[in-house]
Amino acid sequence: MPETIYSLAGKKVYVAGHRGMVGSAIVRRLASEGCEILTASRGDADLTRQAEVEAWMEKNRPDAVFLAAAKVGGILANDTYPADFLYDNLILEANIIEAAHTVGVEKLMFLGSSCIYPKFADQPIVEESLLTGLLEPTNEWYAIAKIAGIKLCQAYRKQHGSDFISAMPTNLYGPGDNFDLKSSHVMPALIRKAHEAKTGHLPDITVWGTGTPRREFLHVDDCADACVHLMKTYSAETHVNVGSGEDVTILELAELVSKVVGFQGSISHDLTKPDGTPRKLMSAAKLRALGWSPRIGLEQGITDAYRAFLKGEYLERKR
Ligand code: GFB
């Protein structure tokens, strides 16, 4: 195990985005770190309003920050609301990073996404592929905002010596996911579709696109564990991929979800919906070398996500 260079014990740790799937998983994971967890509801501070973020940071003065707040969504939401995905994410990350610098936060982790990489990057995608080619058009707006977040962390490190680092999670799923069929990612959508087809005795479920794109998935509790690990052991300019190191086709995923849910019907396709990037398997080499690997396999993780869905542990968003 690599040495702890930043202990969270006894620190005031602000989790921005604590009500989201990733932020809430980080809050759960931090429970065993002996730190004081700080969260801000929308009423405490609207993260898109600079003055409110500054005032909240001045008042609460965290030692460390996990920047997991973001406007997120699946392929259709990204493609339909480009202004929201670009503006909201740019503004909230800029507000939090600048305010963190102003109040002297010791360490900050910015969370991005695997969509920052070029659409046709060599696979598995190494961290150095950033900015070497054109982005996938369905989510370039979100990707540009996330690339700006990485660059903000690098810029504050370069200009001010700030210990601000970035982690780039792959496609995440698990408790607290968004199961709204228009705005969700593929995993929660397929879980919901398979469940409703099973309970409604429907003959099939519909998969968007051709089913041939490949995606890598990581359970959100593994992601939270990796983020805490990096926060304690990593300090450098380069962002770090956070993934499982394995991918499946969307059709294979639909079959696995059907198996877990117990849906035995067939799978049809809606070819009016986009496929998006053909493949985005990130290299896990750097994170492995830093001493972390995932614990939750895909089938086990889907079983847990389905359990959470049945218990109503999810977010329902309009978009
Ligand atoms: O998860 P997803 O929406 O996002 O879609 P991306 C992944 C693949 O699953 C695409 C297909 O090829 C979709 O066409 N798919 C099949 C479905 N059925 C469905 C369905 O019912 N719902 C959804 N949503 N997809 C997102 C980016 O890209 O990934 C974000 O738009 C972010 O910016 C996120 O980076 C992690 O993997 O294509």
Side-chain angles (χ1 to χ4, degrees):
M1 276 293 276
E3 186 192 341
T4 295
I5 54 174
Y6 185 77
S7 173
L8 293 166
K11 297 284 166 83
K12 288 209 281 187
V13 183
Y14 169 39
V15 180
H18 71 287
R19 296 193 57 196
M21 178 173 70
V22 181
S24 57
I26 292 174
V27 168
R28 286 196 297 278
R29 173 59 187 78
L30 285 174
S32 56
E33 290 297 316
C35 56
E36 181 189 346
I37 301 167
L38 305 179
T39 58
S41 67
R42 191 173 279 252
D44 296 329
D46 177 343
L47 301 180
T48 63
R49 302 281 160 203
Q50 186 177 22
E52 293 186 29
V53 175
E54 282 175 350
W56 188 90
M57 286 282 210
E58 277 291 343
K59 186 173 163 208
N60 293 280
R61 297 202 155 257
D63 300 305
V65 175
F66 285 90
L67 207 177
K71 176 164 190 68
V72 297
I75 192 166
L76 196 61
N78 270 265
D79 206 25
T80 312
Y81 305 107
D84 293 356
F85 276 83
L86 181 53
Y87 177 80
D88 287 5
N89 286 304
L90 274 178
I91 203 84
L92 72 85
E93 69 202 27
N95 287 344
I96 294 172
I97 290 170
E98 165 64 13
H101 162 66
T102 306
V103 302
V105 163
E106 296 165 351
K107 187 143 193 173
L108 176 145
M109 170 180 281
F110 170 70
L111 279 95
S113 159
S114 58
C115 69
I116 59 162
Y117 292 115
K119 174 169 183 156
F120 297 113
D122 287 344
Q123 312 280 320
I125 310 171
V126 293
E127 284 81 355
E128 293 72 24
S129 300
L130 185 64
L131 294 173
T132 58
L134 293 175
L135 298 165
E136 153 60 31
T138 52
N139 59 30
E140 63 180 323
W141 324 96
Y142 182 73
I144 291 283
K146 290 296 183 180
I147 293 169
I150 297 173
K151 290 293 164 192
L152 274 173
C153 290
Q154 291 176 350
Y156 280 74
R157 177 177 290 273
K158 186 170 155 97
Q159 186 176 334
H160 302 294
S162 313
D163 194 357
F164 293 176
I165 61 174
S166 299
M168 294 304 117
T170 188
N171 289 36
L172 302 173
Y173 69 95
D177 212 339
N178 167 22
F179 284 82
D180 172 75
L181 291 179
K182 286 202 198 83
S183 60
S184 74
H185 291 98
V186 63
M187 180 72 88
L190 292 180
I191 290 174
R192 180 169 181 168
K193 286 177 184 177
H195 173 75
E196 290 180 352
K198 182 181 84 166
T199 52
H201 307 289
L202 304 178
D204 63 356
I205 56 168
T206 304
V207 161
W208 291 356
T210 60
T212 57
R214 302 187 70 89
R215 291 291 184 274
E216 175 188 11
F217 295 95
L218 185 71
H219 190 283
V220 71
D221 286 342
D222 266 340
C223 176
D225 191 55
C227 289
V228 171
H229 176 80
L230 288 172
M231 193 74 155
K232 289 159 65 178
T233 61
Y234 185 74
S235 175
E237 187 183 309
T238 321
H239 60 282
V240 183
N241 292 342
V242 175
S244 62
E246 292 168 9
D247 64 357
V248 293
T249 67
I250 295 303
L251 190 56
E252 287 166 343
L253 179 71
E255 288 166 353
L256 188 56
V257 167
S258 298
K259 179 183 161 202
V260 169
V261 169
F263 168 66
Q264 291 173 337
S266 59
I267 293 167
S268 58
H269 295 270
D270 177 356
L271 297 176
T272 66
K273 296 288 192 306
D275 268 349
T277 198
R279 193 178 187 198
K280 47 175 175 176
L281 174 65
M282 298 196 300
S283 167
K286 185 167 176 152
L287 188 56
R288 299 285 192 281
L290 290 164
W292 188 89
S293 36
R295 294 195 197 116
I296 305 171
L298 188 56
E299 186 164 344
Q300 182 194 350
I302 296 171
T303 305
D304 183 59
Y306 184 43
R307 177 203 57 75
F309 172 73
L310 291 175
K311 282 177 69 183
E313 294 169 8
Y314 55 82
L315 302 173
E316 193 86 61
R317 295 194 192 93
K318 290 213 170 51
R319 55 169 150 133

